[in-house]
Amino acid sequence: MNSKLRSLPSVEKLLEDPRLGALAGAYSRPSVAGLVRKELDVTRDRIRQGADAPQFESLVDAVESRAAATLSTWPVRVINATGVIIHTNLGRAPLSQAAAQAAAEAGAGYSDLEISLASGKRGSRYAHISELLSQVTGADAAIVVNNNAAAVMLVLTALGAGKEVVVSRGEAVEIGGGFRIPDVLRQSGATLVEVGTTNRTYARDFEAAAGKNTAAFLKVHASNFKVTGFTAESTLAQMVEVGERHGIPVLHDLGSGALLDTAAYGMATEPMVQQSVSDGAGLAMFSGDKLLGGPQAGIIVGKAELVKLIERHPMARALRVEKITLAALSATLIPYLKGTAPEEIPVWQMISASAESIAERAKNLLDSVDGLTEIAELRDSRSAVGGGSLPGETLPSTVVAVTPPADAESLLAALRSHSPPIIARIEKDDILLDPRTMLPGEDAPVAEALAAAIRA
Ligand SMILES: *Cc1c(COP(=O)(O)O)cnc(C)c1O
């Protein structure tokens, strides 16, 4: 074993290789030397576990792959052919052209983020976005933080610490990724008061719980599961009615925060932000990168005095968003004001794409790759909204279903190794490619990737 270890080339020796020399020229000798050391460390561990010493050339290959993976910007742009529109692992909502451009411009230079161009005096980072969100949702005011989890945490901390927050037993839920309403309440310093039962909660349950120490009623949209059968839910409007009589604000965690009516696109109704505001929610919280179709953000809209309380809380400073987010968010909101969101926001373009247009793209994809028809066919399938929105709700789609000659995993891997990588889904040993979630211009690279994968 020691002789195997001794046979490994030195860092210096490897750096003399012409390919690694070129790499060092492109990046710097110390950065490539660092990668070489890492590769040698890993190789020594492998040898100690019984592996053979690698050839010189394969060490060079390995350092080159390390360089490709490490010395490049990340995350890497991929094509989503899974048919899951808001795919958390793939970065949720793709931005509109306008939003991506606004983000790039805000990032590349200085901006009037906290200065008034009219007076030259210090301005508020939130004034513009608050105005825009008021226009779109009907709320008095708004503030934006890192994500909706942060929004919920901030609101409960600012309003509920040291007091009681009343929640329906059916809504003390886990959102995913370890975000559980009871835990968030504990963390915020508020005491959770659960009312009703898992399946049925009435307005009178909130009435009975309202007391001197009640800071708020909390309504949480059960966005990632469905309860059916013998159920009853106290509506937001009913909770607001009870709350108003006791001077208790109602906080509404909407989750996705739809600004358009999902029912108009053949899906279940997702609670809309505008409705929450007009039903009288004190504060409504929702994500920027779910059905809104914008950047990751947690948006808090509601009554002016409550938003002011939130804005002044020290935690708001810790959770604040930067100029790139605000630029992308404002560019995402404008089409909602103009009524052009379904045409301009990618998430809504995908939701509203007609079954015929998707079938046509699937057929073109199938026909455009030599030999593909021998191992693939068009198949009726369903796309999902995803991202914890609209559980179980799907949209009719047509996919290209490939029955791989070898195993499905290696075809998936081949598609992932393409540039740009293609992410597809697997169903009963077949690979499905759903055009619904492929952006305009991505059909051709998917065809190329398929051609290369089936030739291999
Ligand atoms: C998704 C979701 C959250 C968390 O939002 P993020 O933006 O992912 O932090 C909170 N509450 C509900 C109901 C959700 O659906």
Side-chain angles (χ1 to χ4, degrees):
M1 186 173 75
N2 269 341
S3 70
K4 282 189 201 166
L5 286 174
R6 271 197 306 276
S7 75
L8 287 176
S10 66
V11 175
E12 291 307 313
K13 191 87 204 148
L14 277 160
L15 285 171
E16 280 166 22
D17 176 82
R19 282 194 284 156
L20 296 190
L23 209 54
Y27 291 103
S28 86
R29 200 176 152 87
S31 65
V32 177
L35 297 177
V36 169
R37 260 180 233 111
K38 267 214 173 114
E39 186 55 37
L40 285 173
D41 283 347
V42 170
T43 306
R44 276 188 213 100
D45 280 345
R46 279 199 209 108
I47 291 175
R48 285 190 197 102
Q49 277 156 28
D52 281 331
Q55 298 291 316
F56 188 89
E57 288 303 313
S58 59
L59 276 170
V60 173
D61 289 344
V63 174
E64 274 193 333
S65 335
R66 261 177 203 279
T70 316
L71 305 176
S72 57
T73 58
W74 185 88
V76 170
R77 172 94 180 248
V78 305
I79 294 177
N80 176 10
T82 64
V84 180
I85 297 174
I86 303 168
H87 198 306
T88 298
N89 299 153
L90 303 184
R92 289 202 181 152
L95 294 181
S96 67
Q97 294 282 341
Q101 197 181 336
E105 273 171 29
Y110 296 103
S111 59
D112 63 344
L113 183 65
E114 289 190 359
I115 190 174
S116 157
L117 291 180
S119 68
K121 298 219 166 70
R122 170 134 197 215
S124 154
R125 159 185 306 252
Y126 298 116
H128 181 92
I129 204 78
S130 173
E131 195 63 42
L132 198 47
L133 281 161
S134 301
Q135 288 275 327
V136 174
T137 66
D140 297 343
I143 177 172
V144 180
V145 291
N146 182 62
N147 58 7
N148 192 32
V152 174
M153 179 71 89
L154 171 60
V155 163
L156 291 174
T157 306
L159 269 54
K163 298 193 188 136
E164 293 175 349
V165 173
V166 187
V167 189
S168 161
R169 223 165 231 116
E171 296 177 7
V173 297
E174 173 170 326
I175 307 303
F179 190 78
R180 296 171 141 193
I181 293 297
D183 295 341
V184 175
L185 273 162
R186 197 171 309 118
Q187 190 65 40
S188 71
T191 305
L192 167 67
V193 177
E194 285 186 56
V195 296
T197 61
T198 311
N199 56 329
R200 291 174 85 89
T201 301
Y202 306 97
R204 61 170 184 269
D205 296 320
F206 284 91
E207 182 87 55
K212 274 200 314 293
N213 206 26
T214 309
F217 295 158
L218 173 66
K219 184 161 189 62
V220 182
H221 176 48
S223 50
N224 53 3
F225 69 101
K226 252 192 219 169
V227 186
T228 54
F230 188 61
T231 62
E233 186 184 329
S234 52
T235 65
L236 179 67
Q238 289 167 342
M239 289 167 67
V240 167
E241 193 273 321
V242 176
E244 272 172 359
R245 275 189 283 111
H246 296 269
I248 297 169
V250 181
L251 312 173
H252 193 188
D253 177 8
L254 281 158
S256 201
L259 292 170
L260 295 177
D261 185 4
T262 49
Y265 298 89
M267 294 179 292
T269 301
E270 180 78 9
M272 289 173 70
V273 182
Q274 300 92 319
Q275 188 67 44
S276 177
V277 169
S278 70
D279 282 349
L283 293 172
M285 296 81 82
F286 53 100
S287 296
D289 55 355
K290 290 184 181 171
L291 281 173
L292 187 74
Q296 177 187 306
I299 301 166
I300 305 168
V301 301
K303 304 211 188 306
E305 71 277 9
L306 294 177
V307 173
K308 203 161 277 163
L309 269 179
I310 301 298
E311 220 175 307
R312 289 197 189 126
H313 193 277
M315 201 193 256
R317 174 64 177 77
L319 299 173
R320 80 175 183 193
V321 285
E322 63 141 350
K323 53 189 182 288
I324 296 179
T325 303
L326 289 166
L329 183 58
S330 56
T332 304
L333 289 169
I334 288 165
Y336 286 100
L337 278 181
K338 295 198 297 189
T340 54
E343 294 87 55
E344 291 188 53
I345 308 291
V347 162
W348 286 96
Q349 288 172 329
M350 291 171 187
I351 288 173
S352 62
S354 71
E356 299 76 48
S357 70
I358 292 171
E360 192 183 317
R361 286 173 68 191
K363 182 167 189 322
N364 288 342
L365 179 59
L366 181 64
D367 293 344
S368 66
V369 180
D370 273 349
L372 187 58
T373 48
E374 283 146 46
I375 55 165
E377 60 175 17
L378 298 181
R379 196 176 290 169
D380 288 340
S381 185
R382 312 285 301 182
S383 322
V385 175
S389 311
L390 295 160
E393 286 297 316
T394 55
L395 297 157
S397 196
T398 304
V399 298
V400 173
V402 187
T403 306
D407 67 312
E409 286 299 339
S410 46
L411 180 59
L412 275 183
L415 292 173
R416 281 198 309 273
S417 71
H418 189 260
S419 175
I422 319 291
I423 312 295
R425 76 178 199 266
I426 199 164
E427 198 176 278
K428 292 193 200 110
D429 300 330
D430 287 343
I431 304 292
L432 308 189
L433 296 126
D434 188 336
R436 187 187 292 275
T437 50
M438 289 152 48
L439 292 163
E442 290 184 341
D443 297 34
V446 170
E448 276 164 32
L450 272 173
I454 62 178
R455 263 200 315 273

